[in-house]
Amino acid sequence: MIKILIALALLGAFGLGTPLSAQDKAATPPASEAKAPDAKAESAPAASAKVEAAPGASAAPAATPPAPTSPQLVAADKISSGDTAWMLTSTALVLMMTIPGLALFYGGMVRKKNVLATLMQSFAITCLVTVLWVVIGYSFAFMPGNAFIGGFDRVFLNGMLFQNEAGKLTVSHLGLTIPESVYMMFQMTFAIITPALIAGAFADRMKFSAMLWFMGLWSVLIYAPIAHMMWEPSGYWATAGVLDFAGGTVVHINAGIAGLVCALVLGKRLGYGREAMAPHNLTLTLIGASLLWVGWFGFNAGSAVASNGRAGMAMFVTQFATAVAALAWMFTEWIAKGKPSVLGIASGAVAGLVAITPASGFVGAAGALVIGIAAGVGCFFAATTVKGWFRYDDSLDAFGVHCIGGIIGAILTGVFNVREISGVDGSVLTQCGAVLTTLVYSGVGSFILLKVIDMVIGLRVTEEQEREGLDLSLHGETVQ
C-alpha cells in the first residue's frame, strides 16, 4: 500500500510539474459565445453593459466588459427567473440523489444487520457537510484564491447578500443570472454526495465516530481544493482548460480513489471471500438507482447554471449514455456469467451516469454512445475481474464504478469534445493531468487522514461488533 501511494505521489508531482503548451489549453470561446468564466458549465451571460460614446463622438464598436472574477452585488432585475427556477429544481434533484437515492442504493446492497447503519451514514453526512459548507467549504472551493485553494471571503457566508428594500443581491461570478444563495446551495449538494459515495467502499466495518471525523476533514481538506482547482477560474486546472462539466474529477474520481484507500486501510470484512455476503434487498437498490438516475438530470443539466440549450443537450446525453451503459453491463454480464442480474443493470446505469458527467456539456450523441459502452463494459470488469485479481474489499464497488467510470469519462471527454457544442477545444493531455492530480491528492490525502484518525480514536469496529452487525452495536436498532 505504501509503495503504491509513493508511486502515485511521484507521478502526480510529475503531472503537476509538467508545463502545458499553449496548444493544450482550451481556446477562449468567441465573444458571441462568452459566458461566466467557468470551464465546468456554460453559465449565464455576463451583464451586457455597453460603453456609450461621448456626445458628438463618432460611433464606436460596443466594448464587451471583462468577465467578473469574484462575486458581485447586482440589481435584482439582472436575475433571470427562468434560470433561477431551473437551478432551484436542480438543487432539489441533486439533494435527492443522496437522500434518499444513494442511501437506498447502498442500503439494499448490504446485509440486513447493517442496513440502518448504511442509511445513517448518508443521512449524517448530509447534515455534517451542510454545516461545514456554510462555515468554510464554499469559500475554500469557489472564492478567488491561489491555484490550489480559495480564500476566506465567504466564511460563514459573510458578504453573501440579499437586500430586499434596496433591490440588490449578490451573484457568483460562476452564475451571473441566479442569486448567489442558489449557486451556493447547488454546489452544496455536490459537496454532500461526494463523501457519501466513499461510504460504499468501507460498508459494514467503520466506526460511526471515525466516519464522521474522516468525512468532515475530507470535505474541507480534499473536496474543496479539488473543486477549486477544477472549477474556480483561478484554479490550476481550470486555467489550463480542463473540461469537467459536472464532476468527473471533482466528484467521482475524487470519491472513488478515496474509497479504495479506505478499503485498503481498514482491511477486508470478516469472512470476506468465505461467507455469503449477498445484498439483503435488491428492491431498495433498484429504487435507489432509479432515484439517482432521475436526480442526475439536476446534477448534469443543472451544471449549465442556466435554463438554456446546453442544459437540454446535457440532459439528452445523460439519458442516452446511461441507457447504453446499463445495456452494455447487462449484456457483458449475460455473456460472462450466463444471466443478466438486477444488480448488474442498476450498476451499469450508475456507471453510465458517472462516465457521462464530465462530458455532458461537451459531447454529442456519438460521444455519449462510446462513453456509455466503455463505462458499462469497463466498470463491469473493474468491479468483478479486477477486484478479484487484487482481492481488495471494496464492499459496494465505489472504486470500480465511480473512480474507473470517472476516469473513462474524463479522458474520453477530451477525445469526443465537440467545439460546436462546448465552444472550446479539448485536450486529452490536459484531461489526463487533471485525472492524475485528483488520484494523487485525494489518494494520499485520504491515507494521511485515515492514519491520523486511526491513531487517535481508531477506525474499525471490534470483531464482536462487526459480527453482531452495526445496526445494533453502533445504533441500538434493528430491522425486523
Side-chain angles (χ1 to χ4, degrees), residues 189-449:
T189 59
F190 281 66
I192 286 169
I193 195 169
T194 307
L197 293 172
I198 301 171
F202 58 72
D204 300 354
R205 58 198 189 276
M206 184 182 260
K207 286 182 179 179
F208 185 67
S209 57
M211 186 277 298
L212 290 174
W213 274 107
F214 175 71
M215 294 304 182
L217 292 170
W218 192 91
S219 176
V220 174
L221 301 178
I222 307 294
Y223 178 83
I226 291 291
H228 180 82
M229 281 190 272
M230 303 298 169
W231 285 340
E232 209 285 324
S234 63
Y236 182 91
W237 287 107
T239 59
V242 70
L243 301 181
D244 189 352
F245 193 69
T249 52
V250 179
V251 177
H252 299 294
I253 300 174
N254 201 5
I257 190 63
L260 177 63
V261 173
C262 286
L264 295 174
V265 171
L266 268 78
K268 301 173 185 177
R269 289 168 288 179
L270 294 175
Y272 179 73
R274 302 188 307 274
E275 301 175 7
M277 297 183 178
H280 91 284
N281 192 332
L282 284 176
T283 300
L284 293 182
T285 295
L286 190 62
I287 293 172
S290 302
L291 289 168
L292 285 169
W293 190 333
V294 175
W296 224 286
F297 293 126
F299 201 80
N300 286 0
S303 290
V305 199
S307 179
N308 59 14
R310 173 163 281 183
M313 196 67 185
M315 178 173 280
F316 155 62
V317 296
T318 297
Q319 176 71 15
F320 186 42
T322 302
V324 169
L327 292 173
W329 184 305
M330 183 190 76
F331 285 118
T332 303
E333 182 182 42
W334 205 340
I335 293 169
K337 298 190 175 182
K339 294 181 181 179
S341 69
V342 171
L343 180 59
I345 196 170
S347 298
V350 174
L353 291 164
V354 169
I356 197 61
T357 289
S360 54
F362 307 125
V363 303
L369 176 65
V370 177
I371 289 171
I373 294 171
V377 176
C379 291
F380 170 78
F381 284 110
T384 55
T385 306
V386 174
K387 186 165 73 169
W389 286 343
F390 292 98
R391 297 191 60 78
Y392 55 84
D393 186 10
D394 175 11
S395 306
L396 310 180
D397 295 315
F399 173 76
V401 171
H402 292 279
C403 189
I404 300 303
I407 291 171
I408 290 170
I411 294 174
L412 291 183
T413 298
V415 175
F416 292 104
N417 171 61
V418 178
R419 183 177 174 81
E420 288 77 9
I421 296 173
S422 66
V424 296
D425 292 322
S427 165
V428 174
L429 180 61
T430 301
Q431 298 300 110
C432 290
V435 167
L436 186 59
T437 298
T438 306
L439 289 171
V440 173
Y441 184 76
S442 183
V444 175
S446 298
F447 180 78
I448 294 170
L449 290 178

Side-chain angles (χ1 to χ4, degrees), residues 139-161:
S139 192
F140 274 4
F142 289 102
M143 288 300 103
N146 59 40
F148 305 104
I149 196 165
F152 292 89
D153 294 352
R154 285 293 186 268
V155 172
F156 277 101
L157 303 184
N158 176 56
M160 193 177 79
L161 303 175

Side-chain angles (χ1 to χ4, degrees), residues 20 65 113 118 123 132 204 320 357 367 391 450 476:
L20 294 170
K113 63 183 180 180
T118 302
F123 207 92
L132 293 174
D204 300 354
F320 186 42
T357 289
R391 297 191 60 78
L450 289 166

